[in-house]
Amino acid sequence: MENRYYKEIRTMEITEVKEQADKICENISKVLIGREKEIRVILAALYAGGHVLVEDRPGTGKTLLAKTFAKSIGGQFKRVQFTPDLMPSDITGLSIYNRKSEDFVLVKGPVFTNILLADEINRATPRTQSSLLEAMEEQQVTIDGESHRLEAPFFVIATENPIETTGTYPLPEAQLDRFLIKISMGDNSKATEVSIMDRFMSENPFDTLQTVCDTDHIKTMQEAVREVFVHSCVKEYIADIILATRNNSRIQVGASSRGTIGLLRLSQAYAAMEGRTFVRPDDVRYMAPYVLAHRVIMAGHMDEKKEKTVIRELVDQIAVPVEDWEN
């Protein structure tokens, strides 16, 4: 009786996750035309408590996507334009001596926010890029030896230009591993380009966009998705995928254990957004390229599309569990 009661309560929570997710995605789609799939994946990353790296050439809507997300979900929003001369303290903040109080005063950097847009992150030096590591992993920053907690939810949306673009620095492996997913905006169809012109011709829809939830609601949703059931056979399926990345001739360095947890969390979040209280193998298959492609090092040079293709082909070769995943 207790288990059934718990399951009913959990079903109510997951239903709310789906309803809220649909509302947020619909709101964002008023500004970002033809990006429904990308919007849902990024929202799943937020619900999973992760961070997002968006890569594509300039002018594809990366910054607008981050700003629209921030406005839709409420909370504090700050933007940092990464440049070669940006210093770590420009992000985290620093302590300044106050002559009147004869004491050091903390001047908080833009990292003290709910949603941080790290715009063109790979234009800054690796030293400055790494200043986000502690914040992204532990939701805190250390300034002059003192740790300061960041307010939850803390969500980083970083944009980067392709590494072939002039004036870019490759993100270190440790930095890449902190991003739950890496996603590309991709090219629009002719019909989508026409729809964009129609939507923006008379006014900017971003200016009239409404906030549809708040940060407390997001925290509640993040807690709810952690309760999504994952059958032992699905966990083994995730482990098989991770191990396969470490034993593939086309992959020089496989995914880390952080990738294992990331794939689990993102699958839970996606299942909840679909209105389910349990994870299916299809959830794992769908999310694997987003979670793993940027965490592995290929044996030869490949672009992001080819890396994701390798991951998809690798996943296709692994036997899918057929047990009753719901129980």
Side-chain angles (χ1 to χ4, degrees):
M1 183 66 179
E2 182 180 352
N3 289 339
R4 194 178 78 177
Y5 176 75
Y6 174 73
K7 190 172 183 178
E8 289 175 353
I9 294 298
R10 189 172 63 183
T11 301
M12 291 172 60
E13 292 176 345
I14 297 305
T15 299
E16 188 177 358
V17 172
K18 183 183 187 308
E19 292 174 353
Q20 189 66 60
D22 290 344
K23 187 184 300 184
I24 293 173
C25 291
E26 181 183 356
N27 195 57
I28 296 174
S29 295
K30 294 176 182 177
V31 177
L32 293 161
I33 316 299
R35 300 298 183 190
E36 291 78 10
K37 182 180 72 173
E38 291 83 359
I39 291 169
R40 291 194 73 84
V41 173
I42 293 173
L43 183 57
L46 172 61
Y47 280 167
H51 307 283
V52 176
L53 178 62
V54 185
E55 182 186 66
D56 220 319
R57 63 185 184 277
T60 53
K62 302 186 300 295
T63 303
L64 181 61
L65 181 146
K67 292 170 61 179
T68 306
F69 243 92
K71 194 169 183 179
S72 294
I73 64 178
Q76 282 192 313
F77 168 69
K78 293 182 182 177
R79 172 182 176 177
V80 178
Q81 183 65 49
F82 279 63
T83 55
D85 60 346
L86 192 73
M87 299 296 291
S89 58
D90 295 328
I91 301 171
T92 61
L94 71 165
S95 296
I96 297 179
Y97 185 74
N98 189 315
R99 290 186 178 182
K100 291 184 178 180
S101 62
E102 297 183 347
D103 196 6
F104 285 92
V105 177
L106 174 65
V107 179
K108 294 182 178 180
V111 75
F112 287 88
T113 187
N114 296 123
I115 301 133
L116 176 68
L117 170 58
D119 209 5
E120 297 185 316
I121 188 173
N122 60 338
R123 288 198 179 278
T125 62
R127 178 168 176 258
T128 302
Q129 293 173 7
S130 64
S131 63
L132 279 175
L133 289 177
E134 183 184 14
M136 293 172 67
E137 183 67 17
E138 304 176 34
Q139 293 199 2
Q140 69 173 30
V141 292
T142 301
I143 302 173
D144 293 336
E146 184 176 353
S147 296
H148 304 271
R149 294 294 302 174
L150 301 176
E151 185 177 349
F154 175 66
F155 185 46
V156 175
I157 301 179
T159 69
E160 70 169 1
N161 296 323
I163 196 61
E164 294 82 6
T165 307
T166 304
T168 58
Y169 299 84
L171 266 66
E173 294 173 36
Q175 181 75 59
L176 282 172
D177 206 30
R178 262 44 174 211
F179 288 101
L180 177 58
I181 65 168
K182 181 179 179 181
I183 193 168
S184 174
M185 299 297 288
D187 293 323
N188 294 319
S189 65
K190 179 180 178 180
T192 300
E193 293 290 354
V194 172
S195 296
I196 290 173
M197 288 187 282
D198 290 339
R199 187 72 59 89
F200 282 81
M201 187 164 59
S202 59
E203 63 178 4
N204 188 340
F206 177 81
D207 296 336
T208 57
L209 193 71
Q210 300 296 314
T211 298
V212 294
C213 70
D214 55 34
T215 54
D216 288 337
H217 211 127
I218 294 297
K219 286 188 286 185
T220 301
M221 299 299 100
Q222 289 176 336
E223 293 171 1
V225 300
R226 293 292 182 99
E227 300 298 329
V228 172
F229 177 72
V230 186
H231 194 280
S232 59
C233 69
V234 177
K235 294 177 184 176
E236 292 177 5
Y237 181 56
I238 293 174
D240 286 339
I241 293 173
I242 299 298
L243 293 176
T245 67
R246 302 172 187 170
N247 298 281
N248 188 288
S249 59
R250 291 182 292 179
I251 299 176
Q252 184 176 349
V253 180
S256 66
S257 295
R258 187 181 284 114
T260 306
I261 300 299
L263 185 51
L264 171 72
R265 296 298 186 208
L266 195 62
S267 299
Q268 286 179 298
Y270 187 72
M273 289 173 60
E274 293 296 303
R276 282 183 277 106
T277 59
F278 60 95
V279 173
R280 291 175 176 168
D282 284 347
D283 300 325
V284 178
R285 288 168 58 86
Y286 182 65
M287 289 300 177
Y290 295 107
V291 177
L292 302 180
H294 66 288
R295 298 177 190 272
V296 301
I297 299 177
M298 295 296 172
H301 175 72
M302 294 186 185
D303 59 26
E304 184 192 4
K305 291 182 179 179
K306 290 183 179 179
E307 289 174 350
K308 286 187 174 181
T309 299
V310 169
I311 297 298
R312 290 191 184 97
E313 292 175 353
L314 180 149
V315 172
D316 288 341
Q317 296 171 1
I318 299 173
V320 179
V322 295
E323 283 81 353
D324 184 0
W325 317 300
E326 188 175 359
N327 298 300

